[in-house]
Amino acid sequence: MDDLAQFKQTFFSECEELLGDLEGHLMALQAGEGDNGTLNAVFRAIHSIKGGAGAFGFERLVAFAHIFETVLDLMRDGRLEPTPDSVLVVLHCADILSDLVKAAQTGTELPAEHESDGRKSLIDMAATVGVNADPHAADEAMAALDAQLAAGGADALMDEPAPAKAPEPAPAAAAKVPLLKYLVKFAPRDALYQRANEPLILIRELRELGSFIARANADAIPPLDQIQPEGAYIKWEFDIETDRGEQAIKDVFEFVLDDCDLEITCLNPPDAAAEPAVAEAEDEPEPVAEAAPKQAAAPAAAAAPKAEATAAPKPAAAKAEAGGGAGGGGGDTKAVRSIRVDLDRVDKLVNMVGELVITHAMIAQQTEHLHADQHPELANGLAELSHHIRDLQESVMAMRAQPVKSVFARLPRLVRELAMLTNKKIRLDMSGENTEIDKTVIEQLGDPLTHMIRNSCDHGIETPEDRTAAGKPPEGVIHVSADQRGGRIVIEITDDGRGINREKVMKKAIEKKLVAPDATLSNEEIDNLIFLPGFSTADTVSNISGRGVGMDVVRQNIQSLGGRVHIQSRPGQGSSFILTLPLTLAVLDGMVLKVGVQSYILPLANIVESLRPEKDQINVVANQSELLRIRGEYVPLVYLHRIFKVPSGINDPTKALVIIVEMEDSSKMGLVVDEIIGQQQVVIKSLEENFDPIRGVGAATILGNGRVSLILDVAGIKHIAEHEGQGRNPPRLTAPAA
Amino acid sequence: MATAAEQAARSTRTVQLVSFTVGNEEYGVDIMAVREIRAWSETTPLPNTPEVVRGVINMRGAIVPIFDLRARFGMPRTEPTKYNVVIIVSVSSRIVGILVDAVSDIITINEDEIRPMPDMEQVSGLGFMEGLITVGDRMVGLIGLERMFSGRMLEAADSTGKPLLTGPSEAAA
């Protein structure tokens, strides 16, 4: 049972990849860049999903994938032209398929009519070229066949004469393609079973093609004591009469081609239908480039693997492996070159490297007082070690890194749906999909991205009429890009919509008492008000966005990833959300600070500058708040030792150091500390693992001396300063001059 | 339902405790929960936490919080010396350390020798005590780690009645 669950999990993670690829290929098709290879890839993706779904008994998924596949088959055969309209239908159906996969994964039941419109469009499309894609039409025939097979029991498949003669194909299945008779010789090799393929499933699929007779050849079955449980001993011959063409038969065997000997012979080729069967007749011209491998040549060879199998099963499997790589073509080669590793194992490795970094720092610190010229080898060794550790660290981090493509892949669909809901025309452009970020960041990026895209579609992009009136093209464009800049990843979501209506935002903010009525804010500050909790400017609450719970959650999510987000807007021209994210969650560039007897780490990303202020730069407001005037700006001072109640911190900012830090909302704060020790890369350690979150502290790390040091969370510090005040210490005016 | 044999089996089930002293009192924790015993080393204080929380230490790469048992019992904080001992225990998937004066003994007792806490007003704030044991003429209090550290750590520490998120200065005010 656990095994099955594991296989299912693998299936779903493969589905996710396949659907991601599918989206990419479909986008290419839509942009008119697709060729036959693209269509083939799309077909294969659907077919793989269908195959897996069948194995796990996700009937609904299989049923829909089947129709979908039929239409795609027609497209790659060239019988259906991929017009813009039909590509739209395919896109829509890919969305439905993805819903069905998700439903199967979560075990939820979608409403029965969920796929009905997509289904109808597909069937209609197929009908235009005279193909009935609806399997229901053939259902009755299938049911009869099933009954017959059931009556025959295993014999129907095993023993010699198993004339499971199917009734005449359903009338609906009759089409322009004439009925052709095929003789299919199918001899599985051991590898086929080793890969958990099941001939019965193939046979069932063949049965759907038309009238069908199966003959099993069990001559090669050895005496019981010589049977290898995973050996392939049975061969089959199938007589198939179908209107679906040879390709349909080949498709059934698509996944086992490399693991079996297959020979398909047309007994009445269209041009010579009258002639009797000629067993040696060569394959008819291939309609598509994807041909059956030529290894199907000698039927005699089919018996060979059996003898070989007992003696040397390994080479056989290895050969099949190599064949799978080469024969699959296209993207399949990738599969052989990557392995699936449990994330926990990678994380363990990441942790170990973290320990190594700390231990190295510790040794380096211990040896500092030694003279390098007296211990040249030690000094060299340490330098070398440091170099290797950094390399190792980067390699391990790279293992966790994934292209942002996996999150970006779901955006096109989102935009399509939003465009439909809002009656707008929106095009999505994406770039930098191959930029890599830590897996954890990727996993948590989905929701915030979705929110921002929603916001852009709903609030940013105007209706086609408004756009035309404003002299813009009716179709709005949202551009999503990812890029690595320095040690951070920058993701930008830019729309060419109306931009932020600052007047309205300001009015709303004052109304909601988020801003004092007489406050004067810079344009940028006004724009970033939309990230405040409880802020929403939508005049009517829609189910897309506008409940006032969007953007503050976005900011929280991004912040919890150690990132920042802000918005830039140009009225009438559009807005950009700019997200910066750390490359990894495991290490951080920090500044080591000293306050009293304690040292803390301040993330470098928060620091704007540091200075020792002059006395006349400090202004006191209402006898309690100190403001630092710097280049015409007033920045509130926050004493870290007061916030954290560290004894013996310096109370006089002109004798201490002020570090100007910037919050995510681009507001600033002057953090008063005793001194800066230096910059250091630190390994992030969770405090919550064995304790509870503490306000003002983001995480912990271990310094070179083995001591724990706390990593500051400036937003939390600001919160303490604002809500609990700093006034636990002697009042400002009587404060000693330290 | 319990047969005499079953009862006999139950009464022979033994428990091992690590006992330690806090002031003149003796306490014990289940030996199965104890990961290691180490000498006191300076901790990194956590800001704005109750007095019970001494801070965190680095235990082979893990950040482990240390609780001052003396403060937990409502006494002034321990003034630790190098003779003080930290008992590292694992409790509901977390690793925490408790600072005590000294480890005294390993006690093996039958489960049925554990006496329940007497029902009296003075002990109402001692919900974390699981029972009492008599060893010779000494009384040993059995500490229920799960009870002491269940849920949020800060709340666990807080059950001494000290307000959350306030430092010593305010508590004194």
Side-chain angles (χ1 to χ4, degrees), chain A residues 484-634:
Chain A
Q484 183 178 342
R485 290 180 209 155
R488 291 178 83 79
I489 297 291
V490 180
I491 294 180
E492 284 192 43
I493 297 150
T494 306
D495 66 63
D496 65 346
R498 58 171 80 95
I500 286 183
N501 183 338
R502 297 198 173 113
E503 211 171 293
K504 201 162 140 193
V505 165
M506 200 56 194
K507 204 171 136 233
K508 205 91 172 183
I510 293 170
E511 223 169 75
K512 302 213 169 192
K513 300 202 165 49
L514 297 168
V515 175
D518 51 352
T520 48
L521 283 83
S522 70
N523 282 344
E524 198 179 349
E525 280 171 326
I526 296 174
D527 291 347
N528 285 289
L529 286 176
I530 64 158
F531 290 110
L532 289 179
F535 186 89
S536 171
T537 51
D539 294 327
T540 51
V541 172
S542 69
N543 57 0
I544 302 167
S545 57
R547 270 159 300 182
V549 289
M551 300 318 289
D552 62 314
V553 176
V554 167
R555 194 169 65 171
Q556 265 173 30
N557 289 352
I558 301 293
Q559 275 173 359
S560 70
L561 290 172
R564 320 194 220 177
V565 59
H566 69 277
I567 188 166
Q568 282 175 358
S569 180
R570 298 159 306 279
Q573 294 176 44
S575 356
S576 301
F577 288 107
I578 297 152
L579 247 97
T580 61
L581 293 163
L583 271 177
T584 158
L585 295 180
V587 286
L588 171 141
D589 281 311
M591 196 66 92
V592 186
L593 316 170
K594 208 158 177 289
V595 179
V597 291
Q598 294 301 326
S599 57
Y600 296 100
I601 314 285
L602 183 61
L604 216 54
N606 291 118
I607 301 178
V608 179
E609 63 178 301
S610 67
L611 67 151
R612 175 163 291 165
E614 300 293 328
K615 204 167 181 66
D616 60 1
Q617 277 181 285
I618 315 264
N619 303 273
V620 181
V621 183
N623 195 22
Q624 46 179 332
S625 278
E626 278 174 308
L627 297 175
L628 173 72
R629 186 166 36 86
I630 173 167
R631 290 188 288 277
E633 224 180 320
Y634 287 96

Side-chain angles (χ1 to χ4, degrees), chain A residues 355 598 643-645 685-694 697 700 702 706-710 720 724 728, chain B residues 42-49 53 56-58 61 63-65 67 94-96 152-154 165 167 169-170:
Chain A
E355 295 313 312
Q598 294 301 326
I643 296 288
F644 279 1
K645 309 195 176 62
K685 296 272 177 183
S686 159
L687 203 58
E688 278 113 276
E689 197 175 307
N690 292 318
F691 200 67
D692 292 335
I694 295 177
V697 178
I702 296 166
R707 287 280 304 269
V708 178
S709 187
L710 304 177
I720 299 177
E724 295 169 36
R728 310 276 186 250
Chain B
E42 200 58 45
T43 59
T44 300
L46 297 172
N48 302 320
T49 49
V53 182
V56 285
I57 59 163
N58 161 27
I63 309 287
V64 174
F67 294 83
R94 284 172 150 172
I95 309 281
V96 303
R152 281 170 55 91
M153 292 278 174
L154 284 170
L165 287 176
S169 52
E170 186 174 75

Side-chain angles (χ1 to χ4, degrees), chain A residues 383-423:
Chain A
E384 192 109 312
L385 185 62
S386 153
H387 190 69
H388 290 327
I389 290 178
R390 199 163 261 271
D391 279 359
L392 181 63
Q393 193 182 344
E394 275 167 20
S395 314
V396 171
M397 293 307 169
M399 275 161 85
R400 281 188 57 93
Q402 278 194 327
V404 285
K405 206 193 277 171
S406 55
V407 226
F408 278 17
R410 44 176 139 155
L411 301 182
R413 163 175 192 186
L414 181 71
V415 170
R416 276 200 299 281
E417 286 178 351
L418 289 172
M420 217 147 68
L421 272 172
T422 52
N423 285 324

Side-chain angles (χ1 to χ4, degrees), chain A residues 263-311:
Chain A
E263 192 180 336
I264 303 173
T265 319
C266 186
L267 300 178
N268 56 341
D271 45 341
E275 267 184 44
V278 183
E280 285 309 312
E282 254 310 353
D283 287 350
E284 63 172 337
E286 310 293 347
V288 184
E290 201 196 31
K294 289 298 167 212
Q295 83 227 31
K306 276 152 236 151
E308 204 180 298
T310 38

